[in-house]
Amino acid sequence: MSINCTDRDALERFMKDNLKESRYRHSLGVQDMAVSLAEIHGADKEKASFAGRYHDIAKNFDEERMDGYVRKYGLPDELIGSNALAHSKVAAAILEYEFGVDDEDILNAVRYHTTGRSGMSLLEEIIFAADAVERNRTYSDLKYYQELARNDLDRACLEILDYTIGSLRSTGRVIHKDTLEARDWISEKIKGDN
Ligand code: DGI
Ligand code: FE
Ligand code: FE
């Protein structure tokens, strides 16, 4: 089964033309980590590879360009002026409307890779975790989080969400409701498993 994409070469060019060197390297790191997690946890490796590679294609847009895409594709107004929240939604819209990607699970994995959400699919959890634990990340507990993502994907997502929520709180930033709902959902999911 192959993924629908109208012009893969053009998508590759789009990615190279729009990402800084370090962001490009991060994307390849997420792709590799996502494939490895897909293998371990039994998800579709091709989808994990694709979603991981292209999840951040809009990350380096300047504010004017990002806002232009938000308006063009009728995305929520709350995304205006926020690179952190907009880049994932804009990336999914570009993949869908400019490159013909029609796999909803891939699109949702890209769309929710920053916040997560309640009811995330396995692929969504894999991309969410791979984004945080890929090899180019530099925080001191990286090895611990990589192991956790391999051994207990739900708990890895929970700990990543807790870390994100804590650091957003401590810097006074607004926490999106999807982030809070993702945290509550995964916490309940873990309880239900025990
Ligand atoms: O794009 P990456 O840097 O690879 O990673 P990402 O897409 O997870 O984005 C990380 C940024 O998003 C980081 O600065 C924290 C921010 N973020 C995550 N959840 C929320 C958030 N920002 C706000 N305002 N609200 C959230 O809920
Ligand atoms: Fe991102
Ligand atoms: Fe990323």
Side-chain angles (χ1 to χ4, degrees), residues 13 25 58 86 118 175 186:
R13 276 197 304 281
R25 241 179 299 120
S118 170
I175 302 163
I186 204 100

Side-chain angles (χ1 to χ4, degrees), residues 18 51 54 65 84 183 193:
N18 286 288
Y54 300 118
R65 188 162 178 217
R183 199 240 166 244
D193 286 345

Side-chain angles (χ1 to χ4, degrees), residues 23 26 55-56 59 82 84-85 87-88 113-115 131 137 164 168 173-176 179:
R23 184 58 53 180
H26 161 71
H55 78 286
D56 265 345
K59 179 78 176 187
S82 171
L85 295 177
H87 80 279
S88 21
H113 84 257
T114 302
T115 57
D131 188 26
R137 295 291 194 192
T164 302
L168 290 169
R173 280 177 288 170
V174 179
I175 302 163
H176 194 273
T179 304

Side-chain angles (χ1 to χ4, degrees), residues 52-181:
R53 187 175 182 90
Y54 300 118
H55 78 286
D56 265 345
I57 49 170
K59 179 78 176 187
N60 293 139
F61 290 175
D62 63 24
E63 190 166 315
E64 193 185 343
R65 188 162 178 217
M66 192 78 84
D67 291 352
Y69 277 107
V70 170
R71 296 203 168 88
K72 179 176 180 188
Y73 291 120
L75 298 170
D77 277 347
E78 65 178 8
L79 302 178
I80 295 292
S82 171
N83 176 287
L85 295 177
H87 80 279
S88 21
K89 314 300 181 207
V90 167
I94 289 172
L95 290 172
E96 182 172 9
Y97 301 123
E98 302 187 13
F99 293 100
V101 176
D102 60 358
D103 186 289
E104 266 314 305
D105 205 14
I106 291 176
L107 294 173
N108 283 330
V110 173
R111 210 171 262 143
Y112 294 103
H113 84 257
T114 302
T115 57
R117 63 166 173 162
S118 170
M120 297 164 83
S121 71
L122 175 59
L123 185 68
E124 288 174 57
E125 286 194 37
I126 284 172
I127 299 303
F128 181 81
D131 188 26
V133 308
E134 61 92 7
R135 60 180 174 260
N136 300 295
R137 295 291 194 192
T138 52
Y139 51 89
S140 58
D141 296 339
L142 181 60
K143 284 274 167 291
Y144 164 80
Y145 283 100
Q146 288 178 339
E147 273 310 293
L148 193 58
R150 292 190 182 101
N151 296 328
D152 189 342
L153 182 62
D154 288 339
R155 181 147 294 276
C157 289
L158 178 63
E159 293 201 14
I160 294 161
L161 283 160
D162 279 339
Y163 179 87
T164 302
I165 289 167
S167 76
L168 290 169
R169 281 224 168 92
S170 71
T171 51
R173 280 177 288 170
V174 179
I175 302 163
H176 194 273
K177 82 169 190 8
D178 286 344
T179 304
L180 294 169
E181 287 176 9

